[in-house]
Amino acid sequence: MEYEQVASISQVAALIFFIVLFAGVVVYAFWPGNKKRFDEAAKLPLEDDPDSDNEKDS
């Protein structure tokens, strides 16, 4: 087995690995059971920080 063959096989294997990884992330992101978790995480920046009230009083 020559270097070119090993290089092409490893490139194809890496491509397939990253396609499967990307598909897994997309499935995880759109899985109906995760909707509540993602909705709560989306609202976090809009909530008041309880520690910021203590800093204003000091």
Side-chain angles (χ1 to χ4, degrees):
M1 196 175 261
E2 295 181 14
Y3 172 77
E4 289 82 15
Q5 291 174 329
V6 173
S8 67
I9 291 171
S10 65
Q11 288 172 354
V12 170
L15 176 65
I16 292 170
F17 172 75
F18 284 115
I19 288 172
V20 170
L21 181 67
F22 178 77
V25 169
V26 169
V27 167
Y28 173 77
F30 288 106
W31 198 261
N34 293 330
K35 181 173 176 31
K36 182 179 178 186
R37 181 185 308 165
F38 289 142
D39 286 341
E40 290 173 357
K43 293 176 186 175
L44 281 176
L46 303 175
E47 293 178 359
D48 290 333
D49 187 15
D51 294 337
S52 66
D53 294 335
N54 296 337
E55 293 174 3
K56 291 179 183 177
D57 294 337
S58 297

